[in-house]
Amino acid sequence: MNADREYLAAGLALGTLADAEMIEALDLEAADPDFAEEVQSFCETLGLLAGSDDAVAPSAETEAAILSIPRLHQQAAPERTAPEHAAEPVAPTAAGASAPVTSPGAGAGPGPEKTRRPTTMLFALAASTLLLLSAVLAGALINQQHDTTQIQESLTVAEAERERTQRLLSASDLAFTEAEATGGGRVTLAYSVSEQMLHLTPHDMPELPADQTMQLWLIDEEGPHSAGLMTGTSTELLTDLAMDEDMIFGVTVEPAGGSEEPTSDPVVLADL
């Protein structure tokens, strides 16, 4: 399809044609199956962009073809326009002199070619808007996929946590103990030596400044062994611990980031 016909097909789909062009396009659509098929193709593309929640990004070839339509039409326009300085026919006057014959409609306003240029600009603007819409929808789809990935990762972590908790609760040697904290508050412990797991729940533990943290210890005959840090406000599930029977669980207040060994007296002690 040449530039003129493609311009008319796209303009008919978008509804941006002038009256004379609309009549021409409708006549072509009724008489030419190929032209009607091209109009239908433009309509289907617009329908996909307007009616779908998914991003429909045009291919590079489609983008280039759409944006080139106004340029091709403007290049073809001079070929369809009569030369501005063509010789005008003359008619004899009563005295035998010749006078130029004015063509019908001359001087009455711009012809079809002059009214088509604003329409071409409108079509270019509409095409650019559709491309921008596709880019926005594509960006939204990427964000949605990113959010979905984050949700899936969170669910995976939650499922793994649930499985570990189920292992602890199903352990044959599951035991519970509770210990008071010297500065106020208390902790509840659920633990299993066979599973090497310990679940800690703090209750009303004091809030520490930003440069301090609570550090967990498992204490045996060789001394204290770090079991990690705790916030004092949320539960902690510790796994893969080197736990033995008759160990002591302890909590100390350490500098932010923890210490290799306790630097203060325990605020919590509990026999396991």
Side-chain angles (χ1 to χ4, degrees):
M1 178 174 290
N2 60 37
D4 284 343
R5 289 166 60 89
E6 191 170 11
Y7 161 79
L8 290 173
L12 183 59
L14 287 169
T16 59
L17 296 176
D19 293 343
E21 295 169 335
M22 182 66 72
I23 294 174
E24 181 182 355
L26 290 174
D27 289 343
L28 276 174
E29 184 181 28
D32 189 335
D34 290 338
F35 182 83
E37 183 178 351
E38 186 72 11
V39 174
Q40 182 62 29
S41 176
F42 277 112
C43 291
E44 290 176 355
T45 301
L46 293 175
L48 287 174
L49 286 171
S52 173
D53 291 334
D54 296 330
V56 182
S59 65
E61 293 81 3
T62 301
E63 179 179 349
I66 291 176
L67 294 179
S68 68
I69 292 173
R71 175 175 54 82
L72 293 175
H73 173 70
Q74 290 172 353
Q75 291 176 350
E79 299 177 1
R80 299 190 305 270
T81 306
E84 295 182 1
H85 304 289
E88 297 181 348
V90 295
T93 63
S98 298
V101 177
T102 304
S103 58
E113 293 303 329
K114 292 185 179 181
T115 61
R116 182 170 294 182
R117 179 166 297 181
T119 305
T120 302
M121 294 174 64
L122 288 175
F123 175 72
L125 177 60
S128 300
T129 302
L130 292 177
L131 293 175
L132 178 60
L133 175 61
S134 297
V136 171
L137 291 177
L141 179 59
I142 292 173
N143 291 335
Q144 180 181 4
Q145 290 173 339
H146 178 68
D147 292 342
T148 301
T149 300
Q150 288 184 327
I151 293 173
Q152 290 174 340
E153 291 175 351
S154 299
L155 291 176
T156 300
V157 171
E159 178 63 18
E161 188 83 1
R162 186 195 67 79
E163 292 177 354
R164 288 193 295 267
T165 302
Q166 186 62 37
R167 278 176 49 204
L168 174 61
L169 296 176
S170 302
S172 59
D173 61 342
L174 176 65
F176 297 88
T177 189
E178 189 172 274
E180 298 290 333
T182 58
R186 56 191 172 85
V187 295
T188 301
L189 304 177
Y191 60 95
S192 166
V193 174
S194 64
E195 292 291 344
Q196 301 286 279
M197 298 173 68
L198 183 149
H199 186 275
L200 178 150
T201 304
H203 305 278
D204 303 320
M205 295 292 288
E207 184 176 351
L208 298 178
D211 60 346
Q212 292 182 334
T213 187
M214 293 183 184
Q215 189 163 355
L216 312 178
W217 306 92
L218 291 174
I219 307 168
D220 58 14
E221 295 178 353
E222 297 180 357
H225 308 279
S226 178
L229 306 177
M230 65 174 286
T231 64
T233 57
S234 60
T235 61
E236 308 285 345
L237 178 59
L238 309 178
T239 59
D240 300 324
L241 298 174
M243 294 179 61
D244 291 324
E245 294 181 358
D246 301 326
M247 296 185 84
I248 298 175
F249 172 81
V251 178
T252 62
V253 177
E254 302 294 334
S259 305
E260 294 184 1
E261 58 183 26
T263 63
S264 65
D265 293 335
V267 295
V268 174
L269 284 175
D271 293 328
L272 302 180

